[in-house]
Amino acid sequence: MVYVTDSQATAWSRLCLRQSDSILLLAHAVAKPQPWQAVIGNHASQQYRMELVLLNSNGIVPHAARGWLDLMPDIPHHHIGNMADCSRLARLLTGRGLGLTLSGGGARGFAHIGVMRALQEAAIPIDTVGGTSIGAIIAGGIAAGWDYQEMVFHMKRSFVATNPLDDYTFPFIALVAGRKVSRLLRPEFADVLIEDLRLPYFCVSSNLTTGHSAVHRQGELW
């Protein structure tokens, strides 16, 4: 059941929030970020999960989501531009979404491209995606909307036509510096932000200072 509140903190809005176990904060992505008056000061907004839903009428505008996420940090966000996006949001909200997590493994990670192709041919939608190492790179292409041919083109250009791991260094931490991989990834993903991807996306890295894993959901995709 979906309740539609008033835009202000009316008696109806307060009733809707009291009945809610999930609050969707709708906004036009390109509008000036501002608080939702209906939830300001309401205890329901602090008790239940909130998710940001950004409406995009003419495609996702680069960097438009960042302002809204600065206003409402640490909550999930969704980009809506067509009915397929609406269907994905419905599946995620009702616990029926399909999440795909891709592992590392260097060149072996290219097997993920075949998995992606098989899922697309079987018309199985991917609702959220993430990964580590080469899996994070391929997951980024999936979240960016690359099809099979685009994925093969980008991966072949950066990881087959050249050796991305020949920038050797003294192995205090690793055998390779990793700077060449960064230089190769930047033209493939351009200036896309993780926040601007149509699919919810995450990747992980190792924090060498703390010795723990770090999960990235914002920032430059490359």
Side-chain angles (χ1 to χ4, degrees):
M1 183 178 293
V2 178
Y3 288 92
V4 180
T5 72
D6 297 326
S7 60
Q8 301 297 316
T10 63
W12 169 247
S13 295
R14 289 191 290 272
L15 184 147
C16 293
L17 294 175
R18 286 198 303 270
Q19 296 293 100
S20 299
D21 40 29
S22 180
I23 300 171
L24 301 182
L25 304 175
L26 271 64
H28 290 285
V30 296
K32 180 181 179 181
Q34 55 186 322
W36 288 261
Q37 296 297 323
V39 300
I40 291 178
N42 192 291
H43 294 300
S45 64
Q46 302 169 13
Q47 296 173 358
Y48 303 116
R49 74 178 188 184
M50 293 194 297
E51 303 198 23
L52 176 61
V53 179
L54 297 175
L55 308 178
N56 300 269
S57 56
N58 295 305
I60 297 176
V61 177
H63 301 194
R66 174 161 284 182
W68 290 104
L69 292 171
D70 288 341
L71 184 66
M72 299 296 295
D74 302 322
I75 68 171
H77 74 285
H78 310 271
H79 287 285
I80 302 297
N82 53 41
M83 288 306 299
D85 296 331
C86 291
S87 297
R88 180 179 64 254
L89 177 60
R91 288 191 297 270
L92 290 172
L93 290 175
T94 55
R96 296 183 295 110
L98 176 64
L100 182 65
T101 305
L102 306 182
S103 67
R108 292 177 300 175
F110 291 131
H112 293 318
I113 302 176
V115 173
M116 180 197 80
R117 182 179 185 180
L119 290 172
Q120 291 177 344
E121 290 177 350
I124 299 175
I126 300 171
D127 297 314
T128 180
V129 64
T132 183
S133 192
I134 187 64
I137 295 171
I138 294 176
I142 295 174
W146 293 351
D147 60 21
Y148 173 75
Q149 296 297 334
E150 288 176 302
M151 185 72 74
V152 170
F153 171 78
H154 289 291
M155 294 300 103
K156 185 175 182 179
R157 182 167 66 177
S158 287
F159 295 102
V160 178
T162 184
N163 181 1
L165 300 177
D166 61 358
D167 54 343
Y168 300 109
T169 185
F170 288 106
F172 296 117
I173 297 173
L175 185 61
V176 295
R179 298 186 184 91
K180 187 173 181 180
V181 173
S182 295
R183 290 198 302 270
L184 292 170
L185 287 177
R186 189 163 193 171
E188 305 299 347
F189 290 120
D191 61 348
V192 174
L193 299 180
I194 293 177
E195 303 95 295
D196 296 332
L197 296 172
R198 187 171 294 277
L199 292 185
Y201 169 85
F202 76 93
C203 63
V204 298
S205 65
S206 297
N207 186 320
L208 297 176
T209 301
T210 65
H212 297 106
S213 61
V215 180
H216 308 277
R217 299 183 186 274
Q218 297 186 32
E220 294 173 303
L221 181 57
W222 71 267

